[in-house]
Amino acid sequence: MTGNSFGRLFTFSSFGESHSECIGGIVEGFPAGIKLDMEFIRKEMSRRKSQSKFTTDRREEDEVIFLSGLDRGITLGTPLAFVIRNNNIRKEDYKDLEGFFRPSHGDFTYFCKYGLNASSGGGRASARETATRVVGGALAKLFLDKFGIKLDSKIVELGGIDYISDKDNAKAKLKQALAERDSLGGVIECTIHNAPVGLGEPVFDKLSSVLAHAAMSIPSSKSFEIGDGLESCKRKGSQDIDHWKESEGTLTNHSGGVQAGISNGEDIVFRVGFKPIASIGTLRCKDINGTIKEIDNRGRHDIAPVLRAGVIVEAMAALVIADFIKIQQSNKTI
C-alpha cells in the first residue's frame, strides 16, 4: 500500500487502522534544538476529541507517545516517530457485516483493490486515522510559529444552512438528524495568517494545488475552493480583480492569498466541503454475490464530520505551509 506519506522536505507519514492496536506517524524535517511543547500538542488533540452527543461515543484518551527524535524533550533533528493507542475498540459491532459491503463506504473499493478489507471499522479509510494528522499538524504549527504564521478555522455551513448567521436553525437540524439516526454535511473555512510572499512552486506544485491535495485527502471531504472560489467564476473580470493598495497588499482578497499558484502575502483563505457520513441507521449492504441485506449499523460516528474537522483541516494546511517554507529555504533565505 502506497500513499501514506505527504510532503517533500517537511514530511508526514501515518500508519494504523481504526481497530488495530495503535495508530501513529513519523514527521521528518523538523529542526533540531527545539523544546517540544507537549501541552500544545495535547490541546490540539483535545480539539479533535468527541465532546458532545452529536459526535461519536467512541472515547479515546489519545495520549501521544513519542518513540524517537527527542532527548529530554528537545528535538534532535531526526525523525519524530509517535504512536497513539486504540483503547476503545469494539470489533463486535461489525460482526453482522462480515462478508458484506456497506454502501458509500470504502469496504467494496478496498476489497477490489487488495482482495480483502478490514473486518472491523473502516481500516485506513476510517476517520480514526486523522488523529495522527493532528499530531503532524501540531508539529508543523510549532515550526511555523517561528515565522509568525498562524492558522484558524470555523464552520461556515452545516446541513445546507449558514452556520455563521443562522446557527440556531443549523443546530435544530443537527438535533433532528440525531433523532432520525441520520447525518449532515457541511463546510469548514480555514485561514492562514502571515504567510510570506513566494510560497508555492510554478505549474504542477502550485500552493493552491497542494492545499487542495491535502484537504481532499481528509476522509469525507468532497469539495475544495480557494478565495471566493465558485463565486469568482460567476463574475466579470472587472469585479474580481484584486487591485493594489498604494501601500503594501491589495484592496480585496478574491484570490484567497494565492496568485499564479504562489502566495502573495494576503491571508490564505480556503474552504473544504464534507459530505454527510454514510454510517447511519439501517444500511442496505451487499455481498460479493450481489445479495442485498439490511443490516443495522452499530458503528460509532459523528452526526456531521465538520463538528471535529476544523483542527484536521488546519493540520493538513500547516503541513503544506511548513513544507513550502522548507522548500523556499532551500532556494533562498526568506
PDB file of all heavy atoms in Angstrom, residues 279-293:
ATOM      1  N   SER A 279     -22.363   6.173   7.604  1.00  0.00           N
ATOM      2  CA  SER A 279     -22.642   5.193   8.675  1.00  0.00           C
ATOM      3  C   SER A 279     -23.863   5.625   9.468  1.00  0.00           C
ATOM      4  O   SER A 279     -23.753   6.174  10.562  1.00  0.00           O
ATOM      5  CB  SER A 279     -21.422   5.064   9.594  1.00  0.00           C
ATOM      6  OG  SER A 279     -20.312   4.577   8.899  1.00  0.00           O
ATOM      7  N   ILE A 280     -25.030   5.370   8.928  1.00  0.00           N
ATOM      8  CA  ILE A 280     -26.276   5.809   9.560  1.00  0.00           C
ATOM      9  C   ILE A 280     -27.240   4.639   9.712  1.00  0.00           C
ATOM     10  O   ILE A 280     -27.134   3.643   8.991  1.00  0.00           O
ATOM     11  CB  ILE A 280     -26.965   6.921   8.731  1.00  0.00           C
ATOM     12  CG1 ILE A 280     -27.326   6.396   7.343  1.00  0.00           C
ATOM     13  CG2 ILE A 280     -26.073   8.150   8.617  1.00  0.00           C
ATOM     14  CD1 ILE A 280     -28.197   7.327   6.530  1.00  0.00           C
ATOM     15  N   GLY A 281     -28.154   4.727  10.669  1.00  0.00           N
ATOM     16  CA  GLY A 281     -29.300   3.826  10.811  1.00  0.00           C
ATOM     17  C   GLY A 281     -29.116   2.422  10.287  1.00  0.00           C
ATOM     18  O   GLY A 281     -28.148   1.730  10.582  1.00  0.00           O
ATOM     19  N   THR A 282     -30.057   1.993   9.452  1.00  0.00           N
ATOM     20  CA  THR A 282     -30.015   0.685   8.808  1.00  0.00           C
ATOM     21  C   THR A 282     -29.491   0.845   7.391  1.00  0.00           C
ATOM     22  O   THR A 282     -29.969   1.697   6.635  1.00  0.00           O
ATOM     23  CB  THR A 282     -31.412   0.037   8.791  1.00  0.00           C
ATOM     24  OG1 THR A 282     -31.868  -0.117  10.140  1.00  0.00           O
ATOM     25  CG2 THR A 282     -31.368  -1.329   8.117  1.00  0.00           C
ATOM     26  N   LEU A 283     -28.527   0.008   7.014  1.00  0.00           N
ATOM     27  CA  LEU A 283     -27.875   0.123   5.714  1.00  0.00           C
ATOM     28  C   LEU A 283     -28.212  -1.089   4.842  1.00  0.00           C
ATOM     29  O   LEU A 283     -28.250  -2.223   5.338  1.00  0.00           O
ATOM     30  CB  LEU A 283     -26.358   0.226   5.881  1.00  0.00           C
ATOM     31  CG  LEU A 283     -25.840   1.426   6.675  1.00  0.00           C
ATOM     32  CD1 LEU A 283     -24.343   1.293   6.914  1.00  0.00           C
ATOM     33  CD2 LEU A 283     -26.145   2.727   5.934  1.00  0.00           C
ATOM     34  N   ARG A 284     -28.442  -0.837   3.564  1.00  0.00           N
ATOM     35  CA  ARG A 284     -28.663  -1.917   2.590  1.00  0.00           C
ATOM     36  C   ARG A 284     -27.301  -2.350   2.063  1.00  0.00           C
ATOM     37  O   ARG A 284     -26.725  -1.730   1.185  1.00  0.00           O
ATOM     38  CB  ARG A 284     -29.583  -1.467   1.464  1.00  0.00           C
ATOM     39  CG  ARG A 284     -30.984  -1.100   1.936  1.00  0.00           C
ATOM     40  CD  ARG A 284     -31.911  -0.753   0.772  1.00  0.00           C
ATOM     41  NE  ARG A 284     -32.298  -1.929  -0.004  1.00  0.00           N
ATOM     42  CZ  ARG A 284     -31.890  -2.159  -1.251  1.00  0.00           C
ATOM     43  NH1 ARG A 284     -31.060  -1.320  -1.850  1.00  0.00           N
ATOM     44  NH2 ARG A 284     -32.298  -3.245  -1.897  1.00  0.00           N
ATOM     45  N   CYS A 285     -26.775  -3.429   2.624  1.00  0.00           N
ATOM     46  CA  CYS A 285     -25.434  -3.903   2.303  1.00  0.00           C
ATOM     47  C   CYS A 285     -25.501  -5.019   1.251  1.00  0.00           C
ATOM     48  O   CYS A 285     -26.539  -5.641   1.049  1.00  0.00           O
ATOM     49  CB  CYS A 285     -24.737  -4.399   3.577  1.00  0.00           C
ATOM     50  SG  CYS A 285     -24.663  -3.151   4.882  1.00  0.00           S
ATOM     51  N   LYS A 286     -24.353  -5.257   0.600  1.00  0.00           N
ATOM     52  CA  LYS A 286     -24.309  -6.257  -0.465  1.00  0.00           C
ATOM     53  C   LYS A 286     -23.086  -7.136  -0.296  1.00  0.00           C
ATOM     54  O   LYS A 286     -22.011  -6.646   0.078  1.00  0.00           O
ATOM     55  CB  LYS A 286     -24.268  -5.565  -1.828  1.00  0.00           C
ATOM     56  CG  LYS A 286     -24.316  -6.518  -3.015  1.00  0.00           C
ATOM     57  CD  LYS A 286     -24.438  -5.771  -4.334  1.00  0.00           C
ATOM     58  CE  LYS A 286     -23.160  -5.112  -4.767  1.00  0.00           C
ATOM     59  NZ  LYS A 286     -23.227  -4.598  -6.161  1.00  0.00           N
ATOM     60  N   ASP A 287     -23.236  -8.453  -0.567  1.00  0.00           N
ATOM     61  CA  ASP A 287     -22.075  -9.334  -0.516  1.00  0.00           C
ATOM     62  C   ASP A 287     -21.489  -9.515  -1.914  1.00  0.00           C
ATOM     63  O   ASP A 287     -21.982  -8.935  -2.886  1.00  0.00           O
ATOM     64  CB  ASP A 287     -22.415 -10.679   0.139  1.00  0.00           C
ATOM     65  CG  ASP A 287     -23.371 -11.546  -0.684  1.00  0.00           C
ATOM     66  OD1 ASP A 287     -23.644 -11.205  -1.860  1.00  0.00           O
ATOM     67  OD2 ASP A 287     -23.847 -12.573  -0.152  1.00  0.00           O
ATOM     68  N   ILE A 288     -20.435 -10.303  -2.014  1.00  0.00           N
ATOM     69  CA  ILE A 288     -19.714 -10.450  -3.279  1.00  0.00           C
ATOM     70  C   ILE A 288     -20.578 -11.101  -4.364  1.00  0.00           C
ATOM     71  O   ILE A 288     -20.333 -10.959  -5.561  1.00  0.00           O
ATOM     72  CB  ILE A 288     -18.408 -11.256  -3.058  1.00  0.00           C
ATOM     73  CG1 ILE A 288     -17.461 -11.088  -4.249  1.00  0.00           C
ATOM     74  CG2 ILE A 288     -18.728 -12.714  -2.781  1.00  0.00           C
ATOM     75  CD1 ILE A 288     -16.929  -9.684  -4.424  1.00  0.00           C
ATOM     76  N   ASN A 289     -21.651 -11.805  -3.952  1.00  0.00           N
ATOM     77  CA  ASN A 289     -22.542 -12.462  -4.916  1.00  0.00           C
ATOM     78  C   ASN A 289     -23.711 -11.573  -5.340  1.00  0.00           C
ATOM     79  O   ASN A 289     -24.552 -11.985  -6.137  1.00  0.00           O
ATOM     80  CB  ASN A 289     -23.086 -13.763  -4.306  1.00  0.00           C
ATOM     81  CG  ASN A 289     -21.985 -14.752  -3.990  1.00  0.00           C
ATOM     82  OD1 ASN A 289     -21.109 -15.002  -4.816  1.00  0.00           O
ATOM     83  ND2 ASN A 289     -22.021 -15.317  -2.780  1.00  0.00           N
ATOM     84  N   GLY A 290     -23.769 -10.372  -4.762  1.00  0.00           N
ATOM     85  CA  GLY A 290     -24.830  -9.437  -5.136  1.00  0.00           C
ATOM     86  C   GLY A 290     -26.065  -9.509  -4.256  1.00  0.00           C
ATOM     87  O   GLY A 290     -27.062  -8.840  -4.523  1.00  0.00           O
ATOM     88  N   THR A 291     -26.012 -10.317  -3.202  1.00  0.00           N
ATOM     89  CA  THR A 291     -27.141 -10.428  -2.285  1.00  0.00           C
ATOM     90  C   THR A 291     -27.244  -9.168  -1.421  1.00  0.00           C
ATOM     91  O   THR A 291     -26.261  -8.736  -0.821  1.00  0.00           O
ATOM     92  CB  THR A 291     -26.989 -11.651  -1.370  1.00  0.00           C
ATOM     93  OG1 THR A 291     -26.880 -12.828  -2.184  1.00  0.00           O
ATOM     94  CG2 THR A 291     -28.184 -11.773  -0.428  1.00  0.00           C
ATOM     95  N   ILE A 292     -28.428  -8.580  -1.389  1.00  0.00           N
ATOM     96  CA  ILE A 292     -28.678  -7.377  -0.588  1.00  0.00           C
ATOM     97  C   ILE A 292     -29.259  -7.780   0.764  1.00  0.00           C
ATOM     98  O   ILE A 292     -30.167  -8.617   0.838  1.00  0.00           O
ATOM     99  CB  ILE A 292     -29.645  -6.414  -1.299  1.00  0.00           C
ATOM    100  CG1 ILE A 292     -29.079  -5.980  -2.658  1.00  0.00           C
ATOM    101  CG2 ILE A 292     -29.939  -5.210  -0.415  1.00  0.00           C
ATOM    102  CD1 ILE A 292     -27.888  -5.072  -2.574  1.00  0.00           C
ATOM    103  N   LYS A 293     -28.751  -7.177   1.827  1.00  0.00           N
ATOM    104  CA  LYS A 293     -29.243  -7.474   3.176  1.00  0.00           C
ATOM    105  C   LYS A 293     -29.259  -6.178   3.984  1.00  0.00           C
ATOM    106  O   LYS A 293     -28.294  -5.418   3.982  1.00  0.00           O
ATOM    107  CB  LYS A 293     -28.328  -8.493   3.854  1.00  0.00           C
ATOM    108  CG  LYS A 293     -28.758  -8.870   5.259  1.00  0.00           C
ATOM    109  CD  LYS A 293     -27.777  -9.877   5.870  1.00  0.00           C
ATOM    110  CE  LYS A 293     -28.179 -10.257   7.287  1.00  0.00           C
ATOM    111  NZ  LYS A 293     -27.202 -11.219   7.891  1.00  0.00           N
TER     112      LYS A 293
END
